[in-house]
Amino acid sequence: MFRPLSFYIGLRYTAAKRRNHFISFISLTSMLGLMLGVAVLIIVLSVMNGFDRELKQRILGMVPHATIQGASGPLEDWEEIDRRVQEHPRVLAAAPFIQGQGMVTGGGDVRGVMLSGIVPEQEATVSIIENHFIEGNLDELKPGEFGIIIGRLMANSLRLQVGDKLTVVLPEASVTPAGVLPRLKRFTVKGIFSVGAELDGNYALIHMDDAARLMRTGGRAEGVRLLVDDLFAAPRVVNQVAQDLGGRYYVSDWTRTHGNLFQAIRMEKTMIGLLLMFIVAVAAFNIVSTLVMVVTDKTADIAILRTMGATPGRIMRIFIIQGAVIGIFGTLMGTALGIFGALNISAFISWLEGLMGHQFLSADVYFISYLPSQLQWQDVAIISSAGMVMSLLATIYPAWRASRVEPAEALRYE
């Protein structure tokens, strides 16, 4: 007797068995459609978050967060700059480098390559490569031995193994008694890495002393690479560091070199989210047809309630509550199913691959060999809230129609 009348009747209408089984079927399909729409949206966005995370960890774990280079050539006092850079509170580590582009030849094939001259001891502090070696390690790079570390895709393409020789060709001419020839040098493969990204096919590491001799920098580093505490603060941090150093420097960060890739992923996630949200919207607005049929079926009951003193507002609340129950239950079940699916999709796909004997994501084609997933509670909250809001909006028109029922007209032929 203490329950609000609208709430009580709305729940009774939701739970009651209907004479018209088609209405019950439409109510069930509306709830199931909403549940599946919410679940699929959560799972798909979690998978896209997983791909975004893998790209950041693998690619941005290899390429510099930020770099400081001399404005007019190699750094004269790179040791001092390296020391001062590491004193900045937001710089976790720093390492000198010399970088250049060229070609590598071996096994009868040719590939373009980005050569990076490094100091092995310091490179391990700013890069994840140490954790992704198939053979060898950074310590194999010794000054004067002209050793090189290449990626797995490059090694497969050039048919190279550890201990084999390859030739590095630089796009700079050298004048010799035989004429003008491109600068080239034989290197020995000291290690092979695999980070599962495009860097496996076009990135190679050599010792910085060997790079200085090859690229004729006079033993000087081309720049200093920074590892910062917050990836997205890299542009601001590197500018602050350059200002603190004084002088003229050229600064760069990952948003200039790889920013377009992550912007594309973010835009793709947004567009797919909007498209899948339409599925949730269609399922939510199926509630409109359900409630319209319920109102038609309950016209006599509405008329009786009106003659007993129920106001149009109370009638509206009855059917809003009925539709809201369908929407809320569908959204909550979809949220639970989506969370469960997002947390287990990687294991399920692995099980399915083992069952079928087929790998969906081949490491030879894609940059990762499994389906990643990262559940973000912010996405879950937005999707669940959107599902509930759309469900509530879908109840307004049928409830308004119910409130407009005229008792005399509805009971005339009863």
Side-chain angles (χ1 to χ4, degrees), residues 277-287 390:
M277 191 64 77
F278 283 120
I279 298 176
V280 178
V282 169
F285 282 100
N286 277 341
I287 297 173
M390 286 189 286

Side-chain angles (χ1 to χ4, degrees), residues 230-266:
D230 182 3
L231 195 64
F232 296 98
R236 185 171 64 255
V237 171
V238 72
N239 283 312
Q240 290 175 351
V241 170
Q243 289 176 5
D244 294 342
L245 290 174
R248 296 178 59 204
Y249 298 98
Y250 173 75
V251 299
S252 181
D253 60 81
W254 70 271
T255 60
R256 299 185 184 181
T257 56
H258 291 78
N260 290 339
L261 175 63
F262 294 98
Q263 288 174 3
I265 293 174
R266 187 175 293 111

Side-chain angles (χ1 to χ4, degrees), residues 317-339:
R317 287 194 294 272
I318 290 173
F319 289 96
I320 287 175
I321 289 168
Q322 184 180 357
V325 169
I326 296 173
I328 290 171
F329 269 93
T331 301
L332 291 178
M333 288 190 295
T335 301
L337 181 62
I339 292 172

Side-chain angles (χ1 to χ4, degrees), residues 1-2 42 74 94 116 169 186 190 202 272 302 341 343 354 407:
M1 63 181 291
F2 297 105
I42 291 174
S116 185
V169 183
R186 294 281 282 177
K190 295 291 188 177
N202 58 21
I272 289 180
I302 296 169
L343 294 176

Side-chain angles (χ1 to χ4, degrees), residues 301-321:
D301 294 359
I302 296 169
I304 293 171
L305 287 172
R306 289 294 307 279
T307 58
M308 295 176 65
T311 62
R314 177 165 289 177
I315 299 296
M316 277 192 70
R317 287 194 294 272
I318 290 173
F319 289 96
I320 287 175
I321 289 168

